[in-house]
Amino acid sequence: MIEVEGLRKRYGRTVALDGISFRVNEGEVAGFVGLNGAGKTTAMRILCGFMPRDAGAVTVGGVDVGKDSLGARRLLGYLPEGVPLYPEMRVDEFLRYRAGLKGLGGAKARDAVARVLGSCDIADVARRIIGQLSKGYRQRVGIADALLVDPPYLILDEPTVGLDPLQVRRLRELLKEIGRARTIIFSTHILAEVEVVCDTVIVIHRGKIIARGGIPDLIARAAARGARPATLEDAFVALVREAEARDVA
Amino acid sequence: MWRRTYWVFRRDFIAYFHSPAAYVTMVGFLFLNGLVLNFEIGPGRAGGDVDIALRLLFANYFFWVLMLAVPPLMTMRLLAEERRSGTADLLMTAPVRTGEVVLGKYAAAFLFTAFVWSLLLIDVALLAVRLPAGAEMDWGKIAAIYAGILGLEAFFTAVGLWASAFSRNQVVAAVLALSIAMLIFLVGTYHELFSDEPYEQLLYGFVSVISHFVRDFAVGVVDLRYLALYAIGTAIALSMTVWTFEARKWR
Amino acid sequence: MAIRRFLTWCCGATNVLLIVYGALVTGAILYHHPVRFDLTAKALRTLSDDTKTCLAGLKEPVRVIVTFGEADPAKRLVAGRVFQEAQDFLREYTLASPKIEVIDVINVYQRQEAWQQARERFNLTDANRVTFIAGARQQDVRLEDMASVKYGRPGSPPLLESMHVERAFTAALRRLQGAPCKAYLLANDGIQGQTGPDPANAGPGGLSAFVAELRANNYDVGILDLAREGKVPADCEVLLAAGLIGPLPAEIPAVEAYLEAGGKLFLAINPQYSPRGLEFLEDWGVAVLPAWIVMEHQLAGTKIQTEHALATELNELHPIMRKFEKDRFRMQVTYARPLGGAKGLHGESVPIAGVKAGNIWGERKAGTADRPWVCDANDYPSAPDGLSVARVLETESESGAVARIAVFGTWTFLGNERLHEFDHASVLHNTLWWLIGREEQAGVRDPEVVVRNISFDPEGKVRRTLAWAMLALVPGCGVLAGVVILFVRRK
């Protein structure tokens, strides 16, 4: 279970997160949606212990990220935005290195690397240099890295950006597959994906959570406010417009 | 803890051998040092006295340019590049402490710098082989010189690492590290500007790195005080690196 | 929020400050406790135990001033090397004992003003020396004391053979620190007054510098009119006679009684006059004979009455020789060389001596124990074999007391004009230290710093191959390695 309570973060004068709270239950796949600059990446960075928070509490699987950052990180797999990798390394070298960093040694590390190479379907590029791989493969290498220690919690920051439709579809299938036994938060602003993959949706706007719940819930809620949403996208637009109108008022 | 430090070290150390920039640095280093050494054993300089040639080498500003420039070139990308390309996110979300990352990267940079300097031994060995009869190379002296070089380079490497943590831009990091190293170097060098007194009388005589080399390491004496001075500098720079890198995460 | 961030920042800053503080404290402790490792193959930089004992026994602070500078470019290389070595050793000394302080290192050509000031302040006679100063006393260590330099033919650069800096420095320190030695200088009937060897005479031929040199070297010098006093004072540790022609009959019994009781006699004869009254020395084993040599004279070409030129022969000299590199010393004496027959004033045949002031290298040669100090044949090809300067001996009297006598066939090397030239002062001091039984003041054993005077590859062949290897081959290998590794990796 991932729990966020009253999380605040500001960069200088800009408020990035203004007291957000949400909860993702065990086994759920939660979509984190919002406009660009809504605070998705900031929230995720704080969730996985990379960035310190200003106020609030974050627990991952019962471990307080602020107090035991290292322990929380052990439970997490994280795919940063844009999938930054070391371009000069080979895929298997990279995964071996990451396994070592995550505390796996010797045979365990070799097994883990072999497992993720298989499960992410990248065994055929294992000896290639990362810098020469296509974007889709790099995404999958990133996900393979996140899956290395078989963590119960996964945080994926915009995993589908810049992929062609075929790659997006394959990645979606991969996510579905790995999401069966894991709690996943993934951020995106492509709502079609959310509809396909997620159980629940968290909508964040300007550092605040404006809605959360199951997809039918959201559509229903938007409908209740007078809109006529047919899809999640329509519901999202309606919710954001409403929030903006509130802000103006 | 040591396993994670080792993996950080291992990746960065191997990365040097896969980067063209390191080879360019290495070759340039070898060429320039060969030039300096050739100049110093030449006519009108040491008069063929190997001891004097070695001593002149350390008074040669060319040598010091290399001394000052090699560590920043080796460290400039270590942390700056991680933050610029975003791999810092990847690195720091793995269960590693900042200190482990800094230590691993420092070890990699320092060992590679040491490797680059050890290449100079090829030149020294060539010189030793070609020495005329009656002359011999005092390898103990060479060992003392290397103790000095490695000690000082350890310090400059730590300074370079700090600069790399400070800036997201590699060039800025390199220039910053070089400036600090230069400042440290210059402290004792221009003592003539301030006073006629001999070095011993003055505190900045003690911190003058060039005099450490010309007066002690080059004559075959390893003075632990100087190595301790470098170690202190290294400890300060590394702790500042950890601190700076942590603080940078706020942004 | 801001407070929380500020607190985290402060926590980091405090950590850094704590480390800085700890580091500075460690540094300050280390600064005062130097730990040095000498890695040179022959432990050249490690002070000997003798030196350490001497340094531990220092009673008062010793200040050191180094002055050097050589106008002659041929000699500059040697001087530069020796004084570099001297500074290196001074560094070891200052680190080994807080009592020693180097107050200045002056290159007299670069810092003329400082040199002039130091010269006046410390009464330095000349540059190219390391001066140790304790209170009012001071000791000079000259380039010749620190290094053995081979002077070749005129025009060729001198060659540095070896260096003994530690030996020279420790000897100087011991001399500075020893208890004063009571010495009496005989006021005799030698030529006195304005030109003669008189301690009151500050002119070129006087002995004022001699007395000053002794006083500066921790001797308490008294003037003794033996004819009037009748006996040598009981506190006399060494009896000096310089420029002596011969003792008065009344003085001889006093000297003999002194020697009988284990006295020490230093005698420098005036060879320009027929010596008289020295026969008593034959009882002690010294025969004063006429000979060619040891005429100290500043006027080359002067006709010399060679039959009056005296040389004494030497017997056993090893303690005195200790200071000199490979048992060599250097004195400048005037060597009278026969140029052929000439008619004297009264028509007699007089050998004309070509008088030439030159360096005489004394050398103790194997197999000539009776004539240990002989002229080096290389320096003086035409010198007669067995060119002797002095004779020293040790005898046991009937009462069992050990008397020591040193007789020099010349005195002018002690005169004001010559005393500070070449090894003259060293010859004097060595002899005196041997006489009074303080040979250790001459020096300590130290590792010999052999200078590798390699005329490195005169044709430049070796250098060319080295240049090729260092500038092309080695960097080329680096390029090759880079290309191969990167190419293989990309494949």
Side-chain angles (χ1 to χ4, degrees):
Chain A
M1 192 165 64
I2 298 175
E3 244 184 316
V4 176
E5 193 60 49
L7 184 62
R8 282 170 202 281
K9 174 76 189 176
R10 55 198 288 181
Y11 301 109
R13 298 202 152 193
T14 321
V15 178
L17 296 176
D18 191 7
I20 64 169
S21 309
F22 62 85
R23 166 198 286 211
V24 180
N25 293 319
E26 292 297 319
E28 265 182 5
V29 178
F32 208 53
V33 289
L35 300 176
N36 286 332
K40 298 190 296 283
T41 299
T42 303
M44 297 196 136
R45 283 177 154 191
I46 293 174
L47 266 181
C48 57
F50 174 72
M51 197 177 256
R53 67 208 190 283
D54 289 343
V58 180
T59 55
V60 174
V63 180
D64 189 329
V65 174
K67 280 182 187 137
D68 184 8
S69 165
L70 233 50
R73 281 187 247 169
R74 282 201 191 92
L75 299 174
L76 281 167
Y78 177 55
L79 176 71
E81 184 183 3
V83 199
L85 300 170
Y86 299 103
E88 80 280 3
M89 295 181 96
R90 294 185 199 285
V91 171
D92 56 349
E93 285 170 356
F94 172 74
L95 290 173
R96 181 71 189 79
Y97 156 65
R98 293 292 296 176
L101 266 194
K102 291 175 181 182
L104 296 182
K108 263 189 187 166
R110 268 197 302 281
D111 292 349
V113 170
R115 180 172 55 74
V116 295
L117 281 175
S119 65
C120 294
D121 202 14
I122 46 173
D124 52 331
V125 294
R127 293 299 294 163
R128 293 272 295 276
I129 290 184
I130 292 173
Q132 296 171 345
L133 290 180
S134 72
K135 190 123 202 216
Y137 271 119
R138 296 209 338 229
Q139 291 289 26
R140 274 186 273 162
V141 172
I143 292 172
D145 164 43
L147 289 174
L148 259 177
V149 285
D150 203 3
Y153 303 96
L154 274 183
I155 296 179
L156 311 174
D157 199 352
E158 311 218 345
T160 51
V161 168
L163 299 185
D164 60 41
L166 232 68
Q167 288 170 329
V168 170
R169 174 159 290 191
R170 285 176 73 175
L171 192 72
R172 236 180 251 161
E173 280 157 12
L174 181 63
L175 283 183
K176 264 187 177 168
E177 195 182 308
I178 60 182
R180 272 182 212 135
R182 291 183 181 83
T183 311
I184 300 179
I185 298 182
F186 87 99
S187 80
T188 182
H189 43 244
I190 300 168
L191 295 159
E193 259 160 49
V194 179
E195 269 184 294
V196 178
V197 180
C198 298
D199 307 325
T200 59
V201 181
I202 301 162
V203 184
I204 184 167
H205 182 68
R206 291 197 180 163
K208 284 183 181 137
I209 287 179
I210 52 175
R212 60 171 188 245
I215 296 167
D217 276 6
L218 286 190
I219 295 175
R221 198 183 304 173
R225 306 265 159 94
R228 280 185 289 129
T231 60
L232 181 64
E233 194 174 318
D234 296 340
F236 174 73
V237 170
L239 287 166
V240 167
R241 288 232 171 99
E242 190 196 325
E244 273 177 349
R246 252 205 320 272
D247 281 356
V248 171
Chain B
M1 158 174 188
W2 294 114
R3 174 178 291 173
R4 296 187 295 257
T5 311
Y6 162 75
W7 276 100
V8 174
F9 155 74
R10 190 188 137 125
R11 193 206 85 77
D12 279 297
F13 189 66
I14 291 176
Y16 281 119
F17 290 93
H18 294 158
S19 92
Y23 285 98
V24 172
T25 311
M26 238 179 326
V27 170
F29 170 87
L30 279 174
F31 183 78
L32 287 177
N33 254 329
L35 214 59
V36 177
L37 210 56
N38 260 292
F39 174 67
E40 294 300 358
I41 58 171
R45 294 293 293 178
D49 190 327
V50 182
D51 294 345
I52 297 292
L54 285 173
R55 193 175 274 225
L56 284 171
L57 180 66
F58 297 112
N60 192 313
Y61 277 68
F62 239 114
F63 168 86
W64 282 99
V65 167
L66 292 173
M67 243 351 228
L68 299 180
V70 169
L73 289 175
M74 294 302 150
T75 54
M76 62 181 192
R77 48 177 284 281
L78 283 181
L79 292 170
E81 179 69 13
E82 296 264 10
R83 292 206 304 128
R84 197 193 58 75
S85 72
T87 42
D89 288 37
L90 203 63
L91 187 60
M92 295 318 296
T93 51
V96 282
R97 290 187 189 89
T98 312
E100 292 165 354
V101 171
V102 168
L103 208 61
K105 286 191 176 278
Y106 173 72
F110 172 62
L111 277 185
F112 193 75
T113 308
F115 168 74
V116 169
W117 274 102
S118 72
L119 293 175
L120 184 59
L121 281 177
I122 302 173
D123 283 0
V124 175
L126 281 173
L127 188 64
V129 168
R130 296 297 302 198
L131 275 185
E136 55 193 280
M137 188 66 81
D138 191 338
W139 289 102
K141 198 175 267 189
I142 302 288
I145 289 168
Y146 263 86
I149 288 179
L150 295 185
L152 191 55
E153 293 294 58
F155 178 26
F156 286 164
T157 305
V159 169
L161 197 62
W162 173 77
S164 184
F166 187 80
S167 170
R168 208 175 272 257
N169 186 321
Q170 287 190 36
V171 178
V172 172
V175 170
L176 185 63
L178 191 62
S179 310
I180 297 172
M182 195 85 87
L183 208 67
I184 293 164
F185 169 71
L186 288 181
V187 163
T189 309
Y190 286 117
H191 81 292
E192 293 95 347
L193 289 182
F194 309 113
S195 161
D196 268 353
E197 308 265 319
Y199 278 124
E200 281 85 354
Q201 313 303 318
L202 306 157
L203 185 65
Y204 54 77
F206 180 62
V207 295
S208 157
V209 288
I210 191 165
S211 84
H212 298 171
F213 275 81
V214 175
R215 302 159 64 86
D216 279 312
F217 295 127
V219 297
V221 177
V222 175
D223 194 325
L224 275 196
R225 293 181 305 164
Y226 301 146
L227 293 185
L229 205 64
Y230 305 152
I232 287 168
T234 307
I236 293 174
L238 283 183
S239 62
M240 277 178 65
T241 308
V242 173
W243 177 45
T244 307
F245 198 62
E246 288 273 358
R248 295 279 136 165
K249 288 201 305 194
W250 289 95
R251 288 173 208 169
Chain C
M1 286 194 283
I3 290 173
R4 193 191 152 100
R5 195 181 292 190
F6 181 70
L7 283 179
T8 319
W9 188 88
C10 281
C11 193
T14 316
N15 275 340
V16 172
L17 281 178
L18 274 177
I19 290 175
V20 169
Y21 177 75
L24 290 182
V25 169
T26 322
I29 294 170
L30 271 167
Y31 180 67
H32 293 290
H33 297 88
V35 182
R36 293 160 74 79
F37 295 103
D38 180 3
L39 299 187
T40 50
K42 289 176 190 159
L44 297 178
R45 307 281 154 191
T46 308
L47 295 181
S48 66
D49 290 344
D50 282 346
T51 300
K52 282 180 190 147
T53 321
C54 173
L55 287 174
L58 284 183
K59 290 184 281 287
E60 53 187 326
V62 177
R63 290 174 300 162
V64 187
I65 185 161
V66 182
T67 55
F68 67 101
E70 183 57 65
D72 183 354
K75 292 181 185 164
R76 197 179 295 148
L77 207 62
V78 168
R81 181 80 175 88
V82 173
F83 278 93
Q84 182 69 64
E85 192 80 2
Q87 288 181 60
D88 289 347
F89 267 98
L90 275 179
R91 188 163 171 66
E92 302 295 337
Y93 277 70
T94 49
L95 287 171
S97 168
K99 286 219 169 71
I100 295 188
E101 180 199 4
V102 179
I103 48 175
D104 213 346
V105 178
I106 301 174
N107 182 330
V108 297
Y109 287 102
Q110 283 173 11
R111 295 171 53 204
Q112 291 184 349
E113 202 173 308
W115 163 229
Q116 285 308 331
Q117 283 169 2
R119 195 172 190 166
E120 281 163 29
R121 189 169 155 212
F122 301 111
N123 199 21
L124 302 176
T125 47
D126 201 358
N128 277 330
R129 59 193 63 207
V130 179
T131 308
F132 292 80
I133 305 155
R137 285 170 294 152
Q138 61 188 60
Q139 279 289 331
D140 284 348
V141 175
R142 299 148 314 142
L143 195 146
E144 288 84 358
D145 299 328
M146 294 185 278
S148 165
V149 182
K150 186 172 170 117
Y151 291 88
R153 306 244 164 249
S156 63
L159 286 180
L160 191 57
E161 289 181 323
S162 62
M163 289 184 277
H164 286 278
V165 177
E166 187 188 350
R167 186 157 76 183
F169 282 1
T170 302
L173 283 173
R174 279 180 173 165
R175 299 197 294 269
L176 271 180
Q177 295 294 318
C181 172
K182 187 75 191 169
Y184 284 94
L185 178 61
L186 279 183
N188 56 57
D189 70 340
I191 298 173
Q192 297 195 0
Q194 288 304 302
T195 54
D198 189 273
N201 179 3
L207 281 178
S208 59
F210 172 66
V211 175
E213 171 77 10
L214 290 180
R215 289 192 172 135
N217 279 280
N218 216 9
Y219 289 91
D220 182 3
V221 185
I223 309 294
L224 179 66
D225 188 343
L226 202 52
R228 189 179 300 162
E229 301 283 329
K231 68 189 267 275
V232 179
D235 63 345
C236 176
E237 287 183 70
V238 59
L239 189 63
L240 308 164
L244 181 86
I245 295 174
L248 297 172
E251 292 175 330
I252 293 171
V255 174
E256 282 200 296
Y258 173 66
L259 288 175
E260 198 72 41
K264 318 287 186 245
L265 177 64
F266 177 90
L267 191 56
I269 296 163
N270 191 338
Q272 277 166 297
Y273 299 89
S274 297
R276 53 176 195 271
L278 290 173
E279 293 77 17
F280 80 96
L281 284 175
E282 284 175 23
D283 294 346
W284 299 89
V286 182
V288 180
L289 304 168
W292 281 105
I293 191 59
V294 196
M295 267 300 302
E296 173 65 37
H297 210 290
Q298 59 267 45
L299 297 171
T302 307
K303 190 166 72 174
I304 292 174
Q305 293 174 294
T306 49
E307 67 265 34
H308 294 305
L310 295 180
T312 53
E313 291 179 57
L314 303 172
N315 204 348
E316 186 58 47
L317 279 180
H318 60 276
I320 296 178
M321 300 303 280
R322 186 178 293 174
K323 180 170 181 186
F324 298 104
E325 174 57 25
K326 291 176 188 149
D327 291 344
R328 286 165 134 253
F329 72 97
R330 190 162 64 113
M331 286 179 80
Q332 191 179 53
V333 298
T334 307
Y335 168 58
R337 189 156 58 98
L339 292 176
K343 292 291 176 196
L345 289 173
H346 309 291
E348 75 277 24
S349 176
V350 173
I352 302 292
V355 180
K356 184 179 167 193
N359 301 330
I360 289 200
W361 287 91
E363 186 165 27
R364 189 169 59 163
K365 285 183 174 165
T368 54
D370 56 330
R371 287 174 169 178
W373 284 10
V374 294
C375 176
D376 191 327
N378 289 331
D379 294 337
Y380 269 79
S382 56
D385 187 34
L387 187 68
S388 297
V389 183
R391 181 183 180 93
V392 299
L393 65 146
E394 186 180 82
T395 51
E396 200 171 322
S397 67
E398 285 156 17
S399 61
V402 176
R404 285 180 175 178
I405 305 172
V407 183
F408 280 79
T410 180
W411 71 274
T412 43
F413 74 101
L414 302 172
N416 293 349
E417 203 177 25
R418 289 273 186 256
L419 182 62
H420 291 294
E421 287 184 343
F422 303 100
D423 283 339
H424 296 173
S426 299
V427 170
L428 166 70
H429 288 308
N430 275 347
T431 312
L432 288 181
W433 291 324
W434 174 75
L435 281 175
I436 62 178
R438 293 190 193 176
E439 293 101 321
E440 80 281 357
Q441 293 196 342
V444 292
R445 289 233 158 271
D446 62 353
E448 187 180 49
V449 179
V450 181
V451 177
R452 299 160 211 152
N453 266 303
I454 314 148
S455 48
F456 193 83
D457 181 32
E459 287 143 42
K461 256 187 181 168
V462 175
R463 256 172 44 73
R464 264 201 296 281
T465 49
L466 274 179
W468 269 108
M470 286 181 186
L471 298 181
L473 202 65
V474 177
C477 288
V479 173
L480 204 68
V483 167
V484 167
I485 291 181
L486 293 179
F487 183 73
V488 167
R489 182 140 180 100
R490 297 274 163 200
K491 279 277 269 187

